[in-house]
Amino acid sequence: LEFSVADNGAGMPAELIAKIGEPFLADGSATALRGERGTGLGFYICTKLVDLLGGTLSVDSTLGEGTTVSLRWPLAGLDPEA
């Protein structure tokens, strides 16, 4: 199972994407452009939940163009009747 969420926002630099699973990573630079503040916990929580459920989370982003976040879980071994 896979689904993706995309936006056309500020994008994320590669060095931030590389650290996406770390808590409290936000420095406010990306959200500050929109007058918002964040804690840096959103991606941390998502990566932990996806991992706990046996899936993966990937991020594709271009500065000034936006970001796509994809979540994937294997269907093998799942009972379709459950």
Side-chain angles (χ1 to χ4, degrees):
L1 172 65
E2 177 178 344
F3 70 92
S4 299
V5 177
D7 68 25
N8 58 354
M12 298 168 58
E15 57 272 7
L16 181 61
I17 294 171
K19 298 178 180 181
I20 206 105
E22 297 177 19
F24 304 108
L25 192 59
D27 64 2
S29 59
T31 57
L33 295 173
R34 297 187 310 266
E36 301 171 5
R37 293 181 51 153
T39 61
L41 288 174
F43 274 117
Y44 172 74
I45 292 168
C46 286
T47 56
K48 294 302 178 192
L49 286 172
V50 169
D51 187 50
L52 182 66
L53 296 170
T56 60
L57 181 146
S58 63
V59 178
D60 180 36
S61 188
T62 303
L63 286 174
E65 294 183 20
T67 302
T68 299
V69 178
S70 299
L71 307 166
R72 295 176 192 86
W73 290 274
L75 291 178
L78 295 180
D79 182 359
E81 301 297 320

